[in-house]
Amino acid sequence: MRVFSGIRPTGELHIGNYLGAIKQWIELQEKTECVFCIVDLHAVTTPYEPENLQANIKDVAIAYLAAGLNPEKCIFFVQSEVKEHTELTWLLGTITPLGDLQRMTQFKEKSKKHKEYVNAGLLNYPILMAADILLYKTDLVPVGKDQEQHVELARTIARKFNKTFGEVFKEPKVVLPKIGAKIMSLQKPAKKMSKTDDPRGCIGLFDEPEEIEKKILAAVTDTGRAIRYNPKLKPGISNLLTIYSLFSGKGIKELERKFKGKGYADFKKSLAELLINSLEPFRRKRKELLQREVYVKEILAKGQKRAQIIAQSTLQDVKKKMGLT
Ligand code: AQP
C-alpha cells in the first residue's frame, strides 16, 4: 500500500490542514509507505509573491517535521524538483476532457475569488494533482473534504489511461477523516478554514498563546446559550465542538455533557487552553528546526532522490505505452 498527499506552500498551515490531512499522515507513516509533497507548482496557480515562495516552501517543510512527520519513515520532497510531475501532467492532459475540469468546484470557487487570475494552470490543477498521485502508483490519498473531487478525477483519468493505452496506474482511493474533514472558519462558519482567507478565522499551527486565545474568544457563535452539536442550526458552536473533540480525544456527546449549563464564554476559555497546550510541542519543535536549515535541506534533497526513482520508472512505463519511446 502506498500513500500520497501534499500541501500548497501558500502561507502558514492551520489546524484545518492538520486535522484534515497531516494528522492522518502521521498515523499512516507508521503503517505503510508514504510519500508527502510540498506542492509548489500548485501554489503558483493563484496570486502569490515570487520573492516569498522559497521561504514558504521552507516553512511547510519545517511545519511537516514539527507536526510529526518522520523522514526516516516517509519520503518528503518539493514537487518542482521532480520534473516527472510536469511531464506526466502534459500527457494526462491529452486524455482529460475539458468539461471535467470546468465543472470542478475548486476551479469555480477560485476563479470567482481571483477574477483577474483565471489562468489555464488553475483549470489544469486537477491534472497536475492526478499526475502527483498516479506517478507513485498510489493506493490511498489522505486529504480534507475539499480535495475529494480531485481524487475522484484522478481515478477517472487512471481508468481511462489504462483502458486506452494499457495497464499502468492504480486507481487511488480518497481517505477522509471521520470527523474533521472540513474544519470551518472561526469568523464565517459556513466557509472552510483557509490559509488565504481572513486570518482571524484561522488558527495557525504555530500561533502564539495570546493569538489563539484572542481568536477563539472572538469566534462567531450562534443564537441561544447551549453547547450543542448541530451543524445546521449551530454551525459556529458545532465547529468549535469538533475542534475540541479532535484535540482532546473526547467524544462530542461527552463534551456536551461536560459543558451542560455552562455558557459560551466558559466553553471558549476551555477550548483556548486546550489548543494552547496541544499546539505547544509544535511551536517548540518549530523553533528548534528554524535553527537547523541545513538539516531540513538535506531531508528534502534525500526525499527528492527517493521520489525521483519511483517517478522516473512510472513515467518510462507511460511513455512506452503511449508510443513515445
Ligand atoms: N478547513 C479544512 N479542513 C480540513 N482539511 C483542510 N484542508 C485544507 N483546509 C481544510 C486540507 O489540507 C490539505 C492541504 O490543503 P492545501 O494547502 O493543498 O490547499 P487548500 O485545500 O486550498 O488549503 P487552504 O488552507 O484553503 O489553502 P489556500 O487558502 O491556499 O487555498 C488538503 O488535504 C486539504 O483538503
Side-chain angles (χ1 to χ4, degrees):
M1 280 286 193
R2 190 177 281 147
V3 167
F4 179 94
S5 196
I7 290 191
R8 305 198 313 152
T10 44
E12 256 196 55
L13 300 200
H14 52 74
I15 56 170
N17 298 133
Y18 176 70
L19 298 173
I22 301 175
K23 195 162 175 254
Q24 305 187 78
W25 303 1
I26 289 160
E27 287 156 19
L28 285 163
Q29 71 177 352
E30 299 299 329
K31 298 188 242 176
T32 186
E33 191 186 355
C34 292
V35 183
F36 299 122
C37 192
I38 299 170
V39 288
D40 54 346
L41 297 171
H42 285 285
V44 299
T45 58
T46 44
Y48 76 104
E49 308 285 344
E51 60 276 21
N52 295 339
L53 188 54
Q54 289 308 311
N56 285 344
I57 291 171
K58 193 181 89 187
D59 283 351
V60 174
I62 289 178
Y64 278 6
L65 293 168
L69 284 195
N70 180 344
E72 303 297 322
K73 293 187 176 164
C74 63
I75 299 177
F76 89 78
F77 69 101
V78 179
Q79 182 189 36
S80 64
E81 290 178 1
V82 177
K83 305 284 182 246
E84 286 71 12
H85 288 246
T86 40
E87 194 171 347
L88 183 59
T89 302
W90 179 261
L91 300 175
L92 296 181
T94 63
I95 58 160
T96 308
L98 185 58
D100 282 6
L101 300 172
Q102 285 165 328
R103 71 177 174 78
M104 290 289 112
T105 308
Q106 180 179 281
F107 174 66
K108 289 193 226 159
E109 283 176 357
K110 295 218 152 125
S111 307
K112 220 189 275 168
K113 191 167 156 193
H114 306 289
K115 288 200 173 63
E116 74 304 345
Y117 217 85
V118 185
N119 57 81
L122 188 62
L123 180 73
N124 290 333
Y125 184 115
I127 311 180
L128 177 58
M129 182 161 159
D132 298 339
I133 296 168
L134 300 181
L135 261 185
Y136 299 93
K137 305 210 170 154
T138 302
D139 299 280
L140 303 174
V141 188
V143 283
K145 182 87 186 146
D146 59 319
Q147 294 297 334
E148 187 178 24
Q149 196 183 35
H150 289 163
V151 181
E152 249 334 292
L153 184 57
R155 280 174 73 84
T156 308
I157 294 174
R159 206 175 309 132
K160 188 159 177 193
F161 183 97
N162 290 344
K163 207 168 145 219
T164 312
F165 299 107
E167 199 74 17
V168 173
F169 299 123
K170 286 188 178 172
E171 285 185 37
K173 285 203 185 82
V174 72
V175 186
L176 297 177
K178 279 197 190 72
I179 44 171
K182 194 170 184 185
I183 299 295
M184 310 311 275
S185 159
L186 301 183
Q187 286 298 315
K188 294 181 205 135
K191 288 185 61 190
K192 77 161 189 150
M193 187 177 280
S194 166
K195 292 187 219 102
T196 46
D197 273 344
D198 181 0
R200 291 176 314 141
C202 166
I203 304 272
L205 219 45
F206 308 110
D207 275 357
E208 292 297 334
E210 312 77 62
E211 287 174 88
I212 297 176
E213 188 168 26
K214 210 161 113 195
K215 288 181 194 174
I216 293 291
L217 296 186
V220 167
T221 42
D222 320 287
T223 48
R225 266 180 58 87
I227 315 293
R228 190 139 346 106
Y229 185 82
N230 185 334
K232 276 213 180 87
L233 296 177
K234 294 170 89 66
I237 282 295
S238 302
N239 187 40
L240 297 180
L241 271 169
T242 303
I243 296 170
Y244 201 123
S245 167
L246 289 165
F247 276 101
S248 64
K250 294 193 167 87
I252 301 265
K253 288 268 164 274
E254 191 184 342
L255 293 174
E256 286 177 341
R257 279 196 298 277
K258 177 176 158 92
F259 289 101
K260 193 162 181 216
K262 301 221 169 94
Y264 290 161
D266 286 329
F267 171 65
K268 283 177 164 181
K269 249 185 228 150
S270 175
L271 174 58
E273 201 178 302
L274 171 70
L275 282 174
I276 290 168
N277 291 334
S278 307
L279 298 178
E280 196 277 330
F282 297 172
R283 287 193 295 276
R284 187 164 23 88
K285 190 93 194 283
R286 176 173 179 264
K287 278 188 189 133
E288 275 168 42
L289 288 161
L290 284 171
Q291 312 299 319
R292 303 183 65 197
E293 200 165 323
V294 177
Y295 167 72
V296 177
K297 275 197 176 144
E298 275 171 12
I299 291 173
L300 290 174
K302 207 165 125 197
Q304 185 256 356
K305 282 202 186 83
R306 293 173 67 196
Q308 199 157 43
I309 292 171
I310 308 171
Q312 276 172 345
S313 148
T314 308
L315 191 65
Q316 252 329 90
D317 285 355
V318 168
K319 288 172 83 170
K320 216 185 230 163
K321 290 272 197 272
M322 290 183 80
L324 286 159
T325 59

PDB file of all heavy atoms in Angstrom, residues 6-8 10 14 16-17 20-21 110 143-144 146-147 180-183 192-196, ligand 1:
ATOM      1  N   GLY A   6      -0.255  16.028  -0.350  1.00  0.00           N
ATOM      2  CA  GLY A   6       0.574  17.232  -0.408  1.00  0.00           C
ATOM      3  C   GLY A   6      -0.139  18.459   0.116  1.00  0.00           C
ATOM      4  O   GLY A   6      -1.350  18.438   0.329  1.00  0.00           O
ATOM      5  N   ILE A   7       0.654  19.517   0.328  1.00  0.00           N
ATOM      6  CA  ILE A   7       0.086  20.793   0.781  1.00  0.00           C
ATOM      7  C   ILE A   7       0.737  21.920  -0.017  1.00  0.00           C
ATOM      8  O   ILE A   7       1.931  21.873  -0.306  1.00  0.00           O
ATOM      9  CB  ILE A   7       0.304  20.989   2.306  1.00  0.00           C
ATOM     10  CG1 ILE A   7      -0.580  20.004   3.075  1.00  0.00           C
ATOM     11  CG2 ILE A   7       0.010  22.432   2.742  1.00  0.00           C
ATOM     12  CD1 ILE A   7      -0.684  20.236   4.562  1.00  0.00           C
ATOM     13  N   ARG A   8      -0.062  22.933  -0.347  1.00  0.00           N
ATOM     14  CA  ARG A   8       0.476  24.080  -1.091  1.00  0.00           C
ATOM     15  C   ARG A   8       1.241  25.019  -0.152  1.00  0.00           C
ATOM     16  O   ARG A   8       0.731  25.336   0.921  1.00  0.00           O
ATOM     17  CB  ARG A   8      -0.671  24.894  -1.711  1.00  0.00           C
ATOM     18  CG  ARG A   8      -1.591  24.096  -2.571  1.00  0.00           C
ATOM     19  CD  ARG A   8      -2.426  24.943  -3.499  1.00  0.00           C
ATOM     20  NE  ARG A   8      -3.073  26.098  -2.900  1.00  0.00           N
ATOM     21  CZ  ARG A   8      -3.369  27.203  -3.572  1.00  0.00           C
ATOM     22  NH1 ARG A   8      -3.046  27.298  -4.854  1.00  0.00           N
ATOM     23  NH2 ARG A   8      -3.980  28.210  -2.984  1.00  0.00           N
ATOM     24  N   THR A  10       1.355  28.100   0.524  1.00  0.00           N
ATOM     25  CA  THR A  10       0.711  29.399   0.266  1.00  0.00           C
ATOM     26  C   THR A  10       0.543  30.219   1.539  1.00  0.00           C
ATOM     27  O   THR A  10      -0.175  31.210   1.527  1.00  0.00           O
ATOM     28  CB  THR A  10      -0.684  29.185  -0.379  1.00  0.00           C
ATOM     29  OG1 THR A  10      -1.351  28.142   0.325  1.00  0.00           O
ATOM     30  CG2 THR A  10      -0.595  28.848  -1.834  1.00  0.00           C
ATOM     31  N   HIS A  14      -2.643  25.713   9.022  1.00  0.00           N
ATOM     32  CA  HIS A  14      -3.621  25.943  10.097  1.00  0.00           C
ATOM     33  C   HIS A  14      -4.151  24.614  10.634  1.00  0.00           C
ATOM     34  O   HIS A  14      -3.835  23.542  10.080  1.00  0.00           O
ATOM     35  CB  HIS A  14      -4.748  26.846   9.599  1.00  0.00           C
ATOM     36  CG  HIS A  14      -5.394  26.384   8.321  1.00  0.00           C
ATOM     37  ND1 HIS A  14      -6.244  25.318   8.252  1.00  0.00           N
ATOM     38  CD2 HIS A  14      -5.281  26.852   7.052  1.00  0.00           C
ATOM     39  CE1 HIS A  14      -6.658  25.155   7.014  1.00  0.00           C
ATOM     40  NE2 HIS A  14      -6.072  26.062   6.261  1.00  0.00           N
ATOM     41  N   GLY A  16      -6.947  23.334  10.334  1.00  0.00           N
ATOM     42  CA  GLY A  16      -7.745  22.609   9.328  1.00  0.00           C
ATOM     43  C   GLY A  16      -6.840  21.691   8.518  1.00  0.00           C
ATOM     44  O   GLY A  16      -7.143  20.517   8.311  1.00  0.00           O
ATOM     45  N   ASN A  17      -5.691  22.216   8.072  1.00  0.00           N
ATOM     46  CA  ASN A  17      -4.725  21.383   7.326  1.00  0.00           C
ATOM     47  C   ASN A  17      -4.259  20.218   8.203  1.00  0.00           C
ATOM     48  O   ASN A  17      -4.084  19.095   7.732  1.00  0.00           O
ATOM     49  CB  ASN A  17      -3.475  22.180   6.920  1.00  0.00           C
ATOM     50  CG  ASN A  17      -3.748  23.349   5.996  1.00  0.00           C
ATOM     51  OD1 ASN A  17      -3.258  24.439   6.213  1.00  0.00           O
ATOM     52  ND2 ASN A  17      -4.531  23.142   4.968  1.00  0.00           N
ATOM     53  N   GLY A  20      -7.449  17.844   8.917  1.00  0.00           N
ATOM     54  CA  GLY A  20      -7.959  17.230   7.684  1.00  0.00           C
ATOM     55  C   GLY A  20      -6.922  16.320   7.035  1.00  0.00           C
ATOM     56  O   GLY A  20      -7.266  15.287   6.470  1.00  0.00           O
ATOM     57  N   ALA A  21      -5.647  16.706   7.109  1.00  0.00           N
ATOM     58  CA  ALA A  21      -4.647  15.954   6.342  1.00  0.00           C
ATOM     59  C   ALA A  21      -3.500  15.416   7.219  1.00  0.00           C
ATOM     60  O   ALA A  21      -3.362  14.203   7.401  1.00  0.00           O
ATOM     61  CB  ALA A  21      -4.100  16.849   5.232  1.00  0.00           C
ATOM     62  N   LYS A 110     -12.227  29.331  -6.979  1.00  0.00           N
ATOM     63  CA  LYS A 110     -11.005  30.153  -7.064  1.00  0.00           C
ATOM     64  C   LYS A 110     -11.104  31.143  -8.230  1.00  0.00           C
ATOM     65  O   LYS A 110     -10.556  32.237  -8.158  1.00  0.00           O
ATOM     66  CB  LYS A 110      -9.746  29.273  -7.149  1.00  0.00           C
ATOM     67  CG  LYS A 110      -9.559  28.468  -5.844  1.00  0.00           C
ATOM     68  CD  LYS A 110      -8.124  28.311  -5.372  1.00  0.00           C
ATOM     69  CE  LYS A 110      -8.055  28.154  -3.893  1.00  0.00           C
ATOM     70  NZ  LYS A 110      -7.476  27.165  -3.178  1.00  0.00           N
ATOM     71  N   VAL A 143      -6.738  13.269   2.441  1.00  0.00           N
ATOM     72  CA  VAL A 143      -6.920  14.725   2.240  1.00  0.00           C
ATOM     73  C   VAL A 143      -8.176  15.175   2.978  1.00  0.00           C
ATOM     74  O   VAL A 143      -8.956  14.356   3.466  1.00  0.00           O
ATOM     75  CB  VAL A 143      -7.109  15.077   0.734  1.00  0.00           C
ATOM     76  CG1 VAL A 143      -5.806  15.039  -0.024  1.00  0.00           C
ATOM     77  CG2 VAL A 143      -8.147  14.180   0.084  1.00  0.00           C
ATOM     78  N   GLY A 144      -8.389  16.499   3.012  1.00  0.00           N
ATOM     79  CA  GLY A 144      -9.639  17.045   3.531  1.00  0.00           C
ATOM     80  C   GLY A 144     -10.733  16.940   2.467  1.00  0.00           C
ATOM     81  O   GLY A 144     -10.458  16.644   1.302  1.00  0.00           O
ATOM     82  N   ASP A 146     -12.435  19.025   0.810  1.00  0.00           N
ATOM     83  CA  ASP A 146     -12.393  19.895  -0.372  1.00  0.00           C
ATOM     84  C   ASP A 146     -11.612  19.279  -1.533  1.00  0.00           C
ATOM     85  O   ASP A 146     -11.783  19.690  -2.676  1.00  0.00           O
ATOM     86  CB  ASP A 146     -11.796  21.269  -0.001  1.00  0.00           C
ATOM     87  CG  ASP A 146     -10.380  21.151   0.559  1.00  0.00           C
ATOM     88  OD1 ASP A 146     -10.125  20.224   1.342  1.00  0.00           O
ATOM     89  OD2 ASP A 146      -9.529  21.983   0.199  1.00  0.00           O
ATOM     90  N   GLN A 147     -10.751  18.317  -1.252  1.00  0.00           N
ATOM     91  CA  GLN A 147      -9.939  17.718  -2.315  1.00  0.00           C
ATOM     92  C   GLN A 147     -10.510  16.395  -2.831  1.00  0.00           C
ATOM     93  O   GLN A 147      -9.944  15.779  -3.740  1.00  0.00           O
ATOM     94  CB  GLN A 147      -8.500  17.505  -1.832  1.00  0.00           C
ATOM     95  CG  GLN A 147      -7.750  18.802  -1.548  1.00  0.00           C
ATOM     96  CD  GLN A 147      -7.583  19.662  -2.800  1.00  0.00           C
ATOM     97  OE1 GLN A 147      -7.568  19.159  -3.913  1.00  0.00           O
ATOM     98  NE2 GLN A 147      -7.480  20.974  -2.608  1.00  0.00           N
ATOM     99  N   GLY A 180     -13.672  16.044  11.141  1.00  0.00           N
ATOM    100  CA  GLY A 180     -12.571  16.982  10.897  1.00  0.00           C
ATOM    101  C   GLY A 180     -12.176  17.077   9.431  1.00  0.00           C
ATOM    102  O   GLY A 180     -11.189  17.709   9.104  1.00  0.00           O
ATOM    103  N   ALA A 181     -12.969  16.456   8.531  1.00  0.00           N
ATOM    104  CA  ALA A 181     -12.628  16.513   7.107  1.00  0.00           C
ATOM    105  C   ALA A 181     -12.839  17.918   6.557  1.00  0.00           C
ATOM    106  O   ALA A 181     -12.307  18.270   5.505  1.00  0.00           O
ATOM    107  CB  ALA A 181     -13.458  15.506   6.320  1.00  0.00           C
ATOM    108  N   LYS A 182     -13.640  18.727   7.281  1.00  0.00           N
ATOM    109  CA  LYS A 182     -13.836  20.111   6.842  1.00  0.00           C
ATOM    110  C   LYS A 182     -13.993  20.995   8.075  1.00  0.00           C
ATOM    111  O   LYS A 182     -15.092  21.115   8.622  1.00  0.00           O
ATOM    112  CB  LYS A 182     -15.064  20.206   5.926  1.00  0.00           C
ATOM    113  CG  LYS A 182     -15.124  21.512   5.192  1.00  0.00           C
ATOM    114  CD  LYS A 182     -16.215  21.465   4.130  1.00  0.00           C
ATOM    115  CE  LYS A 182     -16.226  22.748   3.322  1.00  0.00           C
ATOM    116  NZ  LYS A 182     -17.338  22.787   2.377  1.00  0.00           N
ATOM    117  N   ILE A 183     -12.880  21.556   8.511  1.00  0.00           N
ATOM    118  CA  ILE A 183     -12.908  22.488   9.647  1.00  0.00           C
ATOM    119  C   ILE A 183     -13.315  23.852   9.082  1.00  0.00           C
ATOM    120  O   ILE A 183     -12.806  24.279   8.049  1.00  0.00           O
ATOM    121  CB  ILE A 183     -11.515  22.556  10.328  1.00  0.00           C
ATOM    122  CG1 ILE A 183     -11.112  21.175  10.865  1.00  0.00           C
ATOM    123  CG2 ILE A 183     -11.478  23.614  11.427  1.00  0.00           C
ATOM    124  CD1 ILE A 183     -11.976  20.626  11.982  1.00  0.00           C
ATOM    125  N   LYS A 192     -14.994  27.044   4.675  1.00  0.00           N
ATOM    126  CA  LYS A 192     -13.915  26.252   5.288  1.00  0.00           C
ATOM    127  C   LYS A 192     -12.778  27.166   5.773  1.00  0.00           C
ATOM    128  O   LYS A 192     -12.542  28.238   5.190  1.00  0.00           O
ATOM    129  CB  LYS A 192     -13.391  25.181   4.329  1.00  0.00           C
ATOM    130  CG  LYS A 192     -12.488  25.683   3.244  1.00  0.00           C
ATOM    131  CD  LYS A 192     -11.666  24.548   2.636  1.00  0.00           C
ATOM    132  CE  LYS A 192     -10.617  25.139   1.724  1.00  0.00           C
ATOM    133  NZ  LYS A 192      -9.405  24.435   1.567  1.00  0.00           N
ATOM    134  N   MET A 193     -12.101  26.709   6.814  1.00  0.00           N
ATOM    135  CA  MET A 193     -10.924  27.433   7.296  1.00  0.00           C
ATOM    136  C   MET A 193      -9.881  27.374   6.177  1.00  0.00           C
ATOM    137  O   MET A 193      -9.644  26.312   5.614  1.00  0.00           O
ATOM    138  CB  MET A 193     -10.402  26.761   8.573  1.00  0.00           C
ATOM    139  CG  MET A 193      -9.293  27.513   9.247  1.00  0.00           C
ATOM    140  SD  MET A 193      -8.765  26.729  10.788  1.00  0.00           S
ATOM    141  CE  MET A 193     -10.005  27.250  11.944  1.00  0.00           C
ATOM    142  N   SER A 194      -9.271  28.525   5.859  1.00  0.00           N
ATOM    143  CA  SER A 194      -8.360  28.561   4.722  1.00  0.00           C
ATOM    144  C   SER A 194      -7.181  29.492   4.990  1.00  0.00           C
ATOM    145  O   SER A 194      -7.346  30.531   5.610  1.00  0.00           O
ATOM    146  CB  SER A 194      -9.157  29.015   3.495  1.00  0.00           C
ATOM    147  OG  SER A 194      -8.300  29.370   2.469  1.00  0.00           O
ATOM    148  N   LYS A 195      -5.998  29.097   4.468  1.00  0.00           N
ATOM    149  CA  LYS A 195      -4.775  29.886   4.703  1.00  0.00           C
ATOM    150  C   LYS A 195      -4.890  31.285   4.141  1.00  0.00           C
ATOM    151  O   LYS A 195      -4.381  32.230   4.703  1.00  0.00           O
ATOM    152  CB  LYS A 195      -3.602  29.239   3.951  1.00  0.00           C
ATOM    153  CG  LYS A 195      -3.156  27.925   4.439  1.00  0.00           C
ATOM    154  CD  LYS A 195      -1.884  27.552   3.661  1.00  0.00           C
ATOM    155  CE  LYS A 195      -1.847  26.089   3.316  1.00  0.00           C
ATOM    156  NZ  LYS A 195      -2.189  25.783   1.939  1.00  0.00           N
ATOM    157  N   THR A 196      -5.521  31.373   2.959  1.00  0.00           N
ATOM    158  CA  THR A 196      -5.502  32.664   2.275  1.00  0.00           C
ATOM    159  C   THR A 196      -6.751  33.502   2.561  1.00  0.00           C
ATOM    160  O   THR A 196      -6.947  34.533   1.944  1.00  0.00           O
ATOM    161  CB  THR A 196      -5.323  32.449   0.754  1.00  0.00           C
ATOM    162  OG1 THR A 196      -6.213  31.414   0.347  1.00  0.00           O
ATOM    163  CG2 THR A 196      -3.908  32.047   0.426  1.00  0.00           C
TER     164      THR A 196
HETATM  165  N1  AQP B   1     -10.557  23.666   6.579  1.00  0.00           N
HETATM  166  C1  AQP B   1     -10.038  22.475   6.330  1.00  0.00           C
HETATM  167  N2  AQP B   1     -10.481  21.383   6.999  1.00  0.00           N
HETATM  168  C2  AQP B   1      -9.943  20.153   6.754  1.00  0.00           C
HETATM  169  N3  AQP B   1      -8.963  19.940   5.849  1.00  0.00           N
HETATM  170  C3  AQP B   1      -8.495  21.012   5.159  1.00  0.00           C
HETATM  171  N4  AQP B   1      -7.540  21.142   4.224  1.00  0.00           N
HETATM  172  C4  AQP B   1      -7.444  22.445   3.861  1.00  0.00           C
HETATM  173  N5  AQP B   1      -8.328  23.178   4.543  1.00  0.00           N
HETATM  174  C5  AQP B   1      -9.002  22.323   5.354  1.00  0.00           C
HETATM  175  C6  AQP B   1      -6.734  20.047   3.711  1.00  0.00           C
HETATM  176  O1  AQP B   1      -5.369  20.392   3.885  1.00  0.00           O
HETATM  177  C7  AQP B   1      -4.612  19.837   2.805  1.00  0.00           C
HETATM  178  C8  AQP B   1      -3.758  20.883   2.196  1.00  0.00           C
HETATM  179  O2  AQP B   1      -4.511  21.908   1.619  1.00  0.00           O
HETATM  180  P1  AQP B   1      -3.798  22.782   0.505  1.00  0.00           P
HETATM  181  O3  AQP B   1      -2.788  23.630   1.103  1.00  0.00           O
HETATM  182  O4  AQP B   1      -3.288  21.905  -0.567  1.00  0.00           O
HETATM  183  O5  AQP B   1      -4.867  23.619  -0.165  1.00  0.00           O
HETATM  184  P2  AQP B   1      -6.233  24.084   0.243  1.00  0.00           P
HETATM  185  O6  AQP B   1      -7.182  22.943   0.337  1.00  0.00           O
HETATM  186  O7  AQP B   1      -6.579  25.085  -0.792  1.00  0.00           O
HETATM  187  O8  AQP B   1      -5.982  24.695   1.703  1.00  0.00           O
HETATM  188  P3  AQP B   1      -6.223  26.153   2.154  1.00  0.00           P
HETATM  189  O9  AQP B   1      -5.809  26.290   3.554  1.00  0.00           O
HETATM  190  O10 AQP B   1      -7.630  26.537   1.845  1.00  0.00           O
HETATM  191  O11 AQP B   1      -5.200  26.960   1.286  1.00  0.00           O
HETATM  192  P4  AQP B   1      -5.449  28.158   0.330  1.00  0.00           P
HETATM  193  O12 AQP B   1      -6.014  29.253   1.197  1.00  0.00           O
HETATM  194  O13 AQP B   1      -4.093  28.438  -0.177  1.00  0.00           O
HETATM  195  O14 AQP B   1      -6.409  27.757  -0.730  1.00  0.00           O
HETATM  196  C9  AQP B   1      -5.610  19.242   1.816  1.00  0.00           C
HETATM  197  O15 AQP B   1      -5.667  17.842   2.051  1.00  0.00           O
HETATM  198  C10 AQP B   1      -6.899  19.872   2.185  1.00  0.00           C
HETATM  199  O16 AQP B   1      -8.004  19.059   1.892  1.00  0.00           O
END
